[in-house]
Amino acid sequence: MSEVKQFKTETKRLLNLMINSIYTNKEIFLRELIANASDAIDKYHYLSLTDETLEKRNDYKIELSIDKENRTITISDNGIGMTKDELINHLGTIAKSGSKEFQEKLEHENVSPEDEREIIGQFGVGFYSSYLVADFVEVNTLSPYSEISYRFTSDGIEEYSLEESDKTTIGTTITLHLRENTEDNNFDEYLDQFTIKTLVKKYSDFIRYPIMMECVTEQPKLDDDGNPTDEYVETISTETLNSMIPVWKKNKNDVTREEINEFYKNKFYDYLDPLDYYQYSVEGNITYTALLFIPKKAPYDLYSNKYEKGLQLYTKGVFIMDKCKELLPDYLRFIKGIVDSSDLSLNISREMLQQDKQLTKIATNLEKKVIKHLQELQNDEPEIYKEFFEALGINLKFGIYNSYGEKNDLLKGLLMYKTLKSDTLISLEDYVREMKEGQKYIYFASAETKEDLMSMPQMDALKKKEFDVLLLTEEVDEFVLQILQKFDDIEFKSVNQGDLDLLSDEEKESAKKLADEKQDLLTKIKTALSGKVKDVVISTRLTESPVCLVSGDGISFEMERVMNDLPNGSNIKAERILEINPNHPIFKVLENIQDDKSKLTDYASVLLNQALLLEGFKVENPNEFIEKMCNIMIEATNIK
Ligand code: ADP
């Protein structure tokens, strides 16, 4: 009895997309199906370690066969198989989170055909990629947890059928009925054993289980004396198409970059080549081999709580688990890769892993190695390092931030910033090396772009002195500098916080004198702004602009903004200090009107609002601000 079921709507959309896909790289279907077969064997093996009811086996294999007459390709494995429910949930529905995400992306975003291709590549659509080349697919499968084997069939359009199957061995067999050839696509090429062999070599060489196929070879017929004749005989033999040696076990010199890239994309579902990879072995106290990758771009879900960090763990080449999170600190969550160690027991469970001393040792060693590698990259291949830092550097900042200083020494050298003078990233070491004589601090400013930075009034004096300023663009930046406090014993200083200490002794002297002289005026302005600012002072940092707002020594304006943006935002306020430029014509105006209390109050309030605007805050009371501005304009022109 066969049951006919409808595909879920979202599955239908995806299938429709696959069928009509402009996706040129149709050959990936084989890689996807082989990967599924290999995963299924992994699962069987892993379960059989703990589940007594599963027979222990050592005949794992994946078999391919081609039937030219019926135009079919069959991929068969002796892995875990699927129960009826699993068939429905895994093949009848988009189960894989990647495909779901993919679906959402397509639905919510205006996706061009090119993007579409990228997205398909990015998520890898697994089983459904069969429909890139087949218009009818048959799956026969038997799970050790089911008495009955099942057959799933579908043309991949609307519906699929389920019925009992006559399969008697545990595992899954998938038969693809190839599409008719079209002008643009010759599907017959997949019936050619040479094509299949090449594809397996290209995409699946490292698969740990033998991928076997009956191959026909032609050999010259021998005559009675054993010499070759002009006639040929066909011999059929079963060949293993893959080398089964995982890339990380191969001799480094025998592995091409291309092979590594393919391995990475295949294994970690990335559509881009990795930015960098790092392969090494450690022997001695602990023994392990690692093959680690830095992606070009942050995975789309890296910063969501759905993202699972971790490395694939093997022991002596046998798969243990997919994402061993104990191996990576949080701030290296973007690293993908594999660790193979002979020190771990084969049937180690997840719970045991957490306390495993060997594993902790590996993790500690691995962190050091990765940091060292990043340092080398920074020195030896600065362009690649910059690309890395642009894409993923924020994670290192979180490393400092989240460890409350414990990782300062490890990570501070790796930080990179754009600056007032440099449009490309430079390190703190570079900054310090280029510091001007007499410069006492490493200056920084929070701004979205360099243009914003340049237009900050506080920059005037620094520009004049030719001191460089770190441009901070990320929320976490100021917090990181606050935790670091110093680099090379030089303190960090925000350009809009407290005293910048830019003056020579002489200049300080005359500034102090000026401040004393004008103290009266300053006090009056402060009174006029009562409650709105902590202080009003003569500025030593402004050259062009009339006023600016700086914060006291506590938290900065940027931190105030970040903290108030938090979900349960605190109502923390940075201290506000209004600085007035004594060399700006407005200063004379203020001196002139200082005895007219109501005028001074209006002028002071307008100036404070200007300073707020420059700092990126809102004016306190827009109506009042506008009214005052208008009054001042009317008065200035004397037209009534
Ligand atoms: P993915 O393999 O990335 O999860 P697929 O769409 O390829 O996505 O497969 C969905 C699910 O179907 C798999 O997670 C697995 O549970 C099941 N599956 C696919 N192929 C096989 C197979 N050969 N043997 C057993 N289960 C399989």
Side-chain angles (χ1 to χ4, degrees), residues 161-203:
S161 327
L162 281 182
E163 60 201 323
E164 290 188 12
S165 150
D166 50 14
K167 186 167 172 42
T168 52
T169 52
I170 286 172
T172 303
T173 299
I174 297 181
T175 305
L176 309 182
H177 295 255
L178 292 178
R179 293 177 179 280
E180 292 300 329
N181 295 324
T182 63
E183 242 170 65
D184 304 330
N185 284 299
N186 175 16
F187 295 101
D188 277 347
E189 68 176 313
Y190 301 116
L191 297 171
D192 176 31
Q193 72 177 35
F194 186 73
T195 309
I196 298 292
K197 276 186 182 178
T198 314
L199 290 180
V200 170
K201 265 278 168 235
K202 178 169 172 192
Y203 292 116

Side-chain angles (χ1 to χ4, degrees), residues 32-33 36-37 39-40 43 77 80-82 90-91 95-96 99 124-128 141 172 174 269:
E32 298 287 315
L33 295 181
N36 279 354
D39 288 349
K43 273 182 213 159
D77 66 69
I80 195 67
M82 282 174 274
H90 292 152
L91 302 190
K96 205 178 119 185
S99 308
V125 281
F127 170 74
Y128 297 126
T141 184
T172 303
I174 297 181
Y269 303 112

